Amino acid sequence: MLFSAILLLTAAPAAVPAIPEPKPAEMSSAEIRAHNKTLDRTHPYFIKCVREADTGSLVARKPVCKTNERWSLMERHTRAAADQMASDMTARSASSSGN
């Protein structure tokens, strides 16, 4: 019974939003605002923009816009990489202290 429930869950197609994924890098601020007016803030395709420091400058900031889905994906990859690095450092430290 449990196996068939798992099989049904994995075989079911993922919920696909009805609109195509936007490309924030190719959109103007006005286009992003118009796009976001039609969506809830929690929608995967809602576009969030943050101002990040421009490399090599103490003052300049550049806007970086991504969909909620892309921000989430980037956060998961960053966390996984940090976890892997911490795990590698811990494993190497433990193995080198025994020598």
Side-chain angles (χ1 to χ4, degrees), residues 80-93:
D83 289 344
Q84 183 64 44
M85 185 185 309
S87 175
D88 289 347
M89 291 174 67
T90 303
R92 288 185 186 138
S93 175

Side-chain angles (χ1 to χ4, degrees), residues 21-65:
E21 182 174 4
K23 299 192 180 340
E26 300 171 1
M27 298 170 75
S28 68
S29 296
E31 290 173 325
I32 290 173
R33 281 193 298 274
H35 169 77
N36 282 346
K37 281 184 181 179
T38 64
L39 300 173
D40 182 48
R41 293 180 70 82
T42 59
H43 192 279
Y45 291 164
F46 184 86
I47 300 171
K48 290 183 184 175
C49 297
V50 297
R51 296 183 74 71
E52 292 185 349
D54 202 2
T55 304
S57 175
L58 299 176
V59 180
R61 302 273 187 248
K62 63 179 179 179
V64 176
C65 300

